[in-house]
Amino acid sequence: MDFTFTEEQQAAAEAARGVFTGVAPDGVPSPALTRGAVADSFDRALWERLAAADLLSLLLDEEYGGAGLDAVALCLALRESAKVLARVPLLEHSAALAALQAHAGPELRSALLARAGRGEVVLTVAAHGRTGHDPAELAVTARLESGTGGTRGKGGKGDGAWVLDGVQTAVPWAYDADFTLVPARTGEGRGILALVPREHPGVALAEQISTTGERLGELRLESARIPAVDVITADGAGEHLRTLLATGTCALALGLGERVLRMTADYTSKREQFGHPVASFQAVAVQTADRYIDLRAMEVTMWQAAWRIASGASGALPASGDVAVAKVWASDGVRRIVQTAQHLHGGFGADVEYPLHRYHAWAKHLELSLGPAAAHEEALGDLLAAHRLA
């Protein structure tokens, strides 16, 4: 088996490194010193550079101006973004585009995908449900208006409308995105995805602040009528979106962990006690070695999940099983890495003039994003119970 990346995937990673070079992780006020959000919006200048480098359209087909690449290429770019704590909705935007391209109707695809791929339209996803613990689709109810006939085709085409009611919490970049892709459930228990405009009758936002200091939004839907053409009713669309979001989150955790471990290695190599670098002390070396093992486990499980999504290859368990394993390692691993880093940095670990505390805040956000390790362990257990292994 060949584990090397393709030339196209390597080119995407190189382009991402070029765009993110020079991005300062402390380019906004520290969340530890800021009441409210650290900034009014995401990094718009960086967003334009991503668009110019064709990194917003990695997953789009050529007919929509994209590169036609896969989840592996996206994860390579996300890993680079996390190393500098890039304040852009690259994951949410890309995952929404992938779901729309794969499952939306032709009218919606032609109207939106090319523009979004150029960065002219910003997309995000409501993926945390009402409380952050329950499946997102359970937080919003959807009903097709009486007399509108039903849905036709994959994208729910027609002149009717779906009426949405419910609340989605902690929607990233909700105040900046033009549209939010919202999972919902019909009265018959069927999952759908609705593309909800930021400003729309029956749609309201309430401000929430993440541990990172970024502004999130509680999305409130009260009889919001969404045209059927903007609703995806295809089977498997919600699962596709969830797995890509979770795997992308693992890629972010990996990139953050790699940068933090490098910061720790540099610091302990220069910091001296008793005339020797602290990195030469056995207790320090053992702790950093353990965190290196965490990183390698995070990496191999994340690439396994990304490969399953990209290739569609079969396995003993569905691809969601590989995603669950990757998220378990990402959640626990990134927490252990930043905790060890802060310990080995001593007072610098908590110094708000030093960027490590920002990485700790982002790591906590990523650890809990889309469910902590325990939630994915439970999901993995359910999969193992449902699929007997030979």
Side-chain angles (χ1 to χ4, degrees), residues 145-192:
E145 280 193 325
S146 177
T148 59
T151 57
R152 304 191 305 272
K154 293 201 302 179
K157 296 186 295 181
D159 297 327
W162 287 85
V163 181
L164 306 182
D165 288 280
V167 176
Q168 293 276 357
T169 193
V171 179
W173 318 110
Y175 283 89
D176 306 300
D178 299 291
F179 296 94
T180 301
L181 195 58
V182 179
R185 186 172 291 268
T186 69
E188 296 77 28
R190 184 179 184 187
I192 67 168

